[in-house]
Amino acid sequence: MKKILVTSALPYANGSIHLGHLVEYIQTDIWVRAQRMSGHQVYYICADDTHGTPVMLRAEKENMSPDQLVSKVHAEHSADFNDFQVKFDNFYSTNSNENKLLSESIYKTLVSNNKIEKKEIEQFYDDQKNMFLPDRFIKGTCPKCKAEDQYGDSCEVCGATYSSTDLIKPFSVISGTEPIRKKTEHYFFKLSECEDFLTQWTQSGTLQKEAANKLKEWFKAGLADWDISRDAPYFGFEIPDAPGKFFYVWLDAPIGYMASFQNFCEKNNINFDEFWSKDSEAELVHFIGKDILYFHALFWPATLEFSNYRLPSKIFAHGFLTVNGEKMSKSRGTFITARSYLDTVKDPDLLRYYFFSKLNDSMEDLDLNLDDFISKINSDLVGKFINIPSRTSGFIKKYFDYNLMTKDQFTSDETKALLDVILSNVDEVKKYYHDREFSKLNRLIMNSIESVNEFINNKEPWVLAKQDNQDQPNSDLHEICSAALQSFRVISLYLSPVLPVLTHKISAFFDEEFTHFDQIHISVKKINQYEHMLKRVEKDFVDQMIELNTVKD
RNA sequence: GGUGAUGUAGCUCAGCUGGUUAGAGCGCAGGAUUCAUAAUCCUGAGGUCGAGAGUUCAAGUCUCUCCAUCACCA
């Protein structure tokens, strides 16, 4: 039994959860459930990422304090995750006392290890608002193509990148006034000194190959020191012994993983150090989007290494979600919020299954094709999978009073073979789950499902039912329908990490609970009355969902 | 602009270190069947593997050029 601490990236407390976020949470949740079903002890930890300028300004705009905004968003996020069956052991906040103390203590250790230095830099400053401006809060005319209203770091029209100081006619997004240049003292993490350590660590197998390659580019360019401070006003933690200076949000965000876990440990009497001390034997696994690879594969391990904590065991980066082959877009209605899906399509298992059927261990983007979604669900889950009990349980009820034959009672070689093949897949199933090769696993499982339907077609139980003596226990009819249902049960166990809602109903149909893959080795003796467990997806619901998300320009 | 990826049937995707007539699911056409939520099963049509050149006895699989799409640039 392994001990594993798993995290998903912290959602920013500035907006709603959308389907792009859910690719990650669903992938992680499936992985966590599968590891538990394989017998490992797993803690799944997350938190809202609360600090930074965007949250501060958004709160101001909504006439509330940052704390109020943060708790409002936290409630929304919690409900979204819960309704998608993403079950964290702890969903906390980076704006917590635990996080403050940990951030301060890590910072102090970095200082004592001589990894922090002060430098004076020059930044844009909004004179009216009395604050320094991050790049994305400065707009102006592109120095290259002269397109107006472009951000301070790159031009969306011609694609040029430049420094905000190159902008023609720069203005502050907040006040609209022209920013002035002002000197300020900032704190830097000396990342350039960590190059040897990081070069080695990033090529050590913790990362996917593609991710490691991607990082080589950055090493080639040379690592620059990392600015970890921001000037007041800033929503965040004040740096010890540095009045008016705050930790940059990306310093305390990953520490939020630790803080959330610490909070969980205190509530549940778990040993925090067993998971975070330098000599920890537990695994630490981070699921992230490829956009934040830089932070998790460079800053974060460097921070941990030089503040005397353990390092991540694995970092799993995934790609982005596209919808109908294109980037998600508010005007096309494909910036789909989690809530709008729950309000229209409703069943979380369907999206979970769709993502499952397409996910793998690469950083490639994943496309949600809505027509494909509808046909995949209706064909795979309704037409083939749930059709198995639907087409066989009637015979068991009518002729055998809900009693099933168990595996050791089967007499036909064909019947035994049907179930044996499916049972023999268990190691492959576990391996595919572990390796995050979900689409390959999906194909394996669908093959099993098709083999059961094929078996039923060939055996024609509806023909047998009209013959004499087939209503006797252990008849061919009894054996065929029992084999189909025993097979269905095993397949359901395999799918239970993906389809928690549906397989919960299925386990109740068999009068049990699915908690461990080892349960495949027993046969059940009875079923309950079969009721429809899954509805087809109607295109209307998907259309409504798009309508809900369509923002008119 | 720099760097990295991707481009395989109408759609979504498999194709490991190069090796027999390029695969799956959906969709489509035809057939079988009626137990089942118009579900299931069988058969079939559909691809000069982005374009061009090269290496090789042999390339979707290696090399180069070009085109298109996407991401990242702290």
Side-chain angles (χ1 to χ4, degrees):
Chain A
M1 185 187 80
K2 290 191 282 194
K3 293 188 175 206
I4 313 173
L5 175 57
V6 182
T7 71
S8 287
L10 312 185
Y12 198 54
N14 181 32
S16 301
I17 301 299
H18 54 66
L19 299 196
H21 290 113
L22 284 171
V23 171
E24 172 166 316
Y25 299 103
I26 287 174
Q27 181 186 32
T28 315
D29 185 73
I30 291 173
W31 194 81
V32 166
R33 287 173 188 264
Q35 297 317 302
R36 285 186 182 139
M37 294 281 289
S38 303
H40 301 301
Q41 185 183 59
V42 187
Y43 297 121
Y44 182 19
I45 297 299
C46 197
D48 264 328
D49 179 17
T50 57
H51 292 149
T53 311
V55 163
M56 183 177 80
L57 294 174
R58 164 95 185 267
E60 197 176 295
K61 204 168 140 194
E62 297 195 10
N63 273 322
M64 47 174 92
S65 70
D67 288 283
Q68 285 172 319
L69 174 65
V70 162
S71 51
K72 180 186 132 191
V73 171
H74 189 268
E76 262 177 45
H77 286 183
S78 301
D80 288 346
F81 290 132
N82 189 60
D83 293 347
F84 267 96
Q85 300 294 313
V86 173
K87 302 287 190 184
F88 302 118
D89 288 296
N90 204 32
F91 182 62
Y92 204 42
S93 165
T94 58
N95 193 40
S96 69
N97 195 46
E98 290 92 337
N99 201 36
K100 184 173 192 300
L101 295 176
L102 275 166
S103 298
E104 287 171 0
S105 114
I106 285 173
Y107 168 77
K108 283 177 185 164
T109 312
L110 292 175
V111 170
S112 66
N113 281 332
N114 195 26
K115 283 284 175 286
I116 303 290
E117 80 181 340
K118 280 196 253 181
K119 283 187 227 172
E120 193 178 66
I121 58 168
E122 201 179 54
Q123 277 197 317
F124 273 122
Y125 186 80
D126 186 322
D127 217 2
Q128 188 173 324
K129 187 82 188 166
N130 291 320
M131 65 178 283
F132 284 94
L133 295 165
D135 278 351
R136 54 206 278 211
F137 287 94
I138 302 163
K139 281 186 162 184
T141 302
C142 169
K144 199 164 179 200
C145 74
K146 315 286 190 242
E148 289 177 13
D149 205 30
Q150 294 305 312
Y151 284 103
D153 48 358
S154 68
C155 172
E156 286 185 325
V157 177
C158 71
T161 56
Y162 40 78
S163 150
S164 51
T165 48
D166 299 333
L167 278 177
I168 303 169
K169 279 193 254 167
F171 63 93
S172 159
V173 171
I174 300 161
S175 67
T177 55
E178 186 176 340
I180 57 166
R181 318 252 320 143
K182 192 168 169 177
K183 287 189 175 159
T184 173
E185 195 163 65
H186 274 223
Y187 291 74
F188 288 78
F189 183 103
K190 294 196 260 180
L191 199 67
S192 52
E193 289 182 2
C194 307
E195 196 155 333
D196 287 345
F197 160 71
L198 286 171
T199 310
Q200 209 168 30
W201 186 76
T202 52
Q203 305 299 324
S204 67
T206 309
L207 303 166
Q208 291 129 295
K209 245 191 195 143
E210 321 160 67
N213 286 340
K214 186 77 194 165
L215 288 173
K216 278 185 192 164
E217 292 174 34
W218 287 326
F219 287 122
K220 224 187 287 175
L223 296 182
D225 291 341
W226 178 36
D227 186 352
I228 57 159
S229 61
R230 293 295 184 267
D231 286 287
Y234 192 79
F235 180 51
F237 297 135
E238 198 161 36
I239 300 179
D241 307 318
K245 305 286 175 186
F246 289 77
F247 288 129
Y248 174 43
V249 55
W250 265 110
L251 182 91
D252 71 67
I255 296 172
Y257 295 139
M258 299 170 89
S260 177
F261 185 63
Q262 191 176 53
N263 173 259
F264 174 72
C265 288
E266 279 156 16
K267 287 187 290 193
N268 295 280
N269 203 20
I270 293 163
N271 184 352
F272 176 85
D273 292 334
E274 193 183 338
F275 287 83
W276 288 98
S277 70
K278 200 109 200 164
D279 58 353
S280 166
E281 284 174 15
E283 289 184 18
L284 173 61
V285 175
H286 298 302
F287 282 77
I288 59 167
K290 63 183 181 181
D291 53 325
I292 54 177
L293 183 63
Y294 197 86
F295 297 100
H296 283 79
L298 297 180
F299 296 154
W300 180 228
T303 304
L304 288 169
E305 174 71 8
F306 297 102
S307 57
N308 305 328
Y309 285 104
R310 59 91 41 84
L311 295 167
S313 314
K314 290 282 176 193
I315 293 176
F316 296 143
H318 58 80
F320 292 145
L321 181 71
T322 56
V323 178
N324 292 336
E326 291 178 311
K327 226 191 269 195
M328 298 196 297
S329 133
K330 289 192 176 170
S331 58
R332 270 192 292 269
T334 54
F335 215 96
I336 302 169
T337 62
R339 190 47 54 186
S340 70
Y341 173 97
L342 292 165
D343 287 344
T344 52
V345 179
K346 294 191 168 71
D347 188 345
D349 280 5
L350 308 187
L351 187 70
R352 292 174 66 103
Y353 178 77
Y354 187 78
F355 286 166
F356 168 73
S357 77
K358 301 185 83 165
L359 277 164
N360 56 36
D361 74 340
S362 82
M363 301 203 315
E364 277 170 48
D365 290 351
L366 185 155
D367 187 48
L368 166 60
N369 180 292
L370 293 168
D371 290 330
D372 187 46
F373 170 72
I374 295 169
S375 67
K376 186 160 234 135
I377 296 304
N378 289 342
S379 165
D380 286 6
L381 292 184
V382 183
K384 292 176 180 172
F385 177 57
I386 211 67
N387 193 218
I388 296 171
S390 175
R391 67 191 303 202
T392 52
S393 55
F395 295 111
I396 297 290
K397 172 191 177 185
K398 185 169 176 189
Y399 299 107
F400 309 106
D401 192 29
Y402 301 103
N403 287 302
L404 289 181
M405 286 172 70
T406 55
K407 181 170 182 276
D408 53 333
Q409 293 173 308
F410 294 162
T411 54
S412 140
D413 287 344
E414 249 180 300
T415 311
K416 289 182 199 164
L418 174 77
L419 187 53
D420 278 338
V421 169
I422 294 169
L423 288 169
S424 71
N425 286 337
V426 65
D427 290 333
E428 216 172 342
V429 168
K430 284 184 196 167
K431 185 173 180 343
Y432 279 146
Y433 269 126
H434 177 266
D435 294 344
R436 297 170 354 280
E437 288 287 7
F438 293 171
S439 64
K440 289 198 174 95
L441 174 57
N442 179 238
R443 232 168 294 126
L444 178 73
I445 290 177
M446 278 314 300
N447 283 342
S448 298
I449 292 171
E450 283 167 13
S451 76
V452 177
N453 276 312
E454 188 186 333
F455 173 83
I456 297 169
N457 271 57
N458 292 340
K459 295 298 178 187
E460 301 181 310
W462 53 93
V463 173
L464 291 175
K466 290 172 190 154
Q467 296 172 1
D468 291 342
N469 296 324
Q470 284 296 329
D471 55 350
Q472 297 302 309
N474 302 334
S475 65
D476 290 347
L477 177 63
H478 197 191
E479 181 162 336
I480 286 159
C481 293
S482 296
L485 284 163
Q486 301 284 9
S487 300
F488 169 73
R489 175 179 169 274
V490 173
I491 295 167
S492 301
L493 270 155
Y494 290 161
L495 280 173
S496 61
V498 183
L499 306 170
V501 176
L502 180 60
T503 54
H504 182 75
K505 293 179 193 162
I506 293 171
S507 66
F509 170 66
F510 288 112
D511 239 339
E512 60 181 336
E513 284 214 36
F514 293 162
T515 57
H516 201 293
F517 287 135
D518 284 351
Q519 286 170 276
I520 62 169
H521 297 299
I522 56 163
S523 289
V524 284
K525 297 195 169 93
K526 260 187 109 97
I527 56 169
N528 288 316
Q529 172 69 35
Y530 179 79
E531 310 285 353
H532 284 322
M533 298 181 189
L534 194 62
K535 280 197 219 124
R536 302 172 60 79
V537 189
E538 302 297 338
K539 191 166 191 317
D540 282 356
F541 296 142
V542 172
D543 291 344
Q544 282 171 29
M545 177 173 75
I546 297 302
E547 180 61 31
L548 275 180
N549 287 286
T550 303
V551 175
K552 286 163 195 129
D553 300 315

